[in-house]
Amino acid sequence: RRQRQMCIRDRCQREQIAKWLREETNDYYTRHQRYPVGREAEDVVDNAYVQIVKAGIWIPYGEVYQYYLSRKARMLKHPLQG
């Protein structure tokens, strides 16, 4: 049975994508002193998606965006350290 979440075969890829999204979110926060909302969240995903494409990982943009929205609250509670 297929779950409704990112369909990435490799767990390592999923973790890397999550890391890029967290890093972009924290970079945004560092620059603006607030977390992204609305179109700003799309900008964060856009920046992370560039890295995903460069890494040769194929995943639809919409899937990454939905994943980001579903995980954003948790990312904000537990910002990336370092």
Side-chain angles (χ1 to χ4, degrees), residues 4-68:
R4 293 193 59 122
Q5 51 184 280
M6 282 206 298
C7 300
I8 301 173
R9 283 178 274 167
D10 188 350
R11 181 178 176 198
C12 185
Q13 288 179 343
R14 185 178 337 119
E15 290 171 357
Q16 185 61 52
I17 290 170
K19 180 181 174 206
W20 285 326
L21 289 168
R22 291 186 92 172
E23 288 172 349
E24 289 298 330
T25 300
N26 287 330
D27 288 348
Y28 183 92
Y29 181 83
T30 300
R31 286 192 309 272
H32 299 94
Q33 298 303 306
R34 62 184 177 84
Y35 287 102
V37 294
R39 174 65 191 144
E40 298 159 349
E42 290 180 36
D43 293 339
V44 167
V45 175
D46 290 348
N47 292 338
Y49 198 75
V50 168
Q51 295 176 52
I52 293 167
V53 171
K54 284 182 183 176
I57 301 170
W58 187 91
I59 183 168
Y61 178 88
E63 217 168 302
V64 176
Y65 184 69
Q66 288 303 314
Y67 175 78
Y68 179 71

